[in-house]
Amino acid sequence: MTTDSGTEAIDPSVPPSGPGCVECDADGGWWFHLRRCAACGHVGCCDSSPAQHASAHYRATGHRVMRSFEPGEGWFWDFEKNELYESGPDLAPPESHPEDQPAPGPAGRVPADWAETLR
């Protein structure tokens, strides 16, 4: 995938930024599911999460392709084209957050009423 300017939307050599949403971890927040930027590896929370950091990352950077960062999921989402791709190229490991990390997560920061706060 390339952008209209010809720049690559996916860099398979870049590892993920960490096991959780960068901004939620910094702010003490929580997430429902995680997404990984296919261009720079930034891990952000999904649009169902309270803060929607993956979408915010796209708006701030123009990095339009995200991959699920959930165990067992390999789909990609293109924000610019509003398209889902069932699969794509292999990205640098790890492919997901640790399997023992709960969703929603992280452990200890998810409120008891989390389901009522999803978008």
Side-chain angles (χ1 to χ4, degrees):
M1 289 178 218
T2 59
T3 63
D4 292 336
S5 65
T7 58
E8 291 296 320
I10 297 175
D11 182 345
S13 69
V14 179
S17 59
C21 176
V22 174
E23 291 84 4
C24 287
D25 279 341
D27 297 341
W30 64 277
W31 54 80
F32 183 50
H33 288 131
L34 297 171
R35 308 293 178 241
R36 171 188 178 172
C37 177
C40 73
H42 178 274
V43 176
C45 54
C46 72
D47 282 353
S48 294
S49 299
Q52 303 178 346
H53 287 121
S55 291
H57 177 75
Y58 159 64
R59 290 190 301 275
T61 64
H63 297 168
R64 71 179 219 223
V65 179
M66 299 283 165
R67 183 185 182 276
S68 174
F69 200 54
E70 294 297 317
E73 296 182 2
W75 56 264
F76 288 75
W77 178 258
D78 187 327
F79 282 102
E80 188 175 292
K81 294 184 176 183
N82 202 31
E83 288 183 359
L84 175 71
Y85 299 93
E86 294 295 327
S87 64
D90 290 337
L91 301 181
E95 294 182 353
S96 69
H97 64 75
E99 290 199 30
D100 63 352
Q101 178 177 296
R109 291 202 318 239
V110 180
D113 66 347
W114 68 268
E116 297 169 18
T117 63
L118 295 180
R119 298 181 187 258

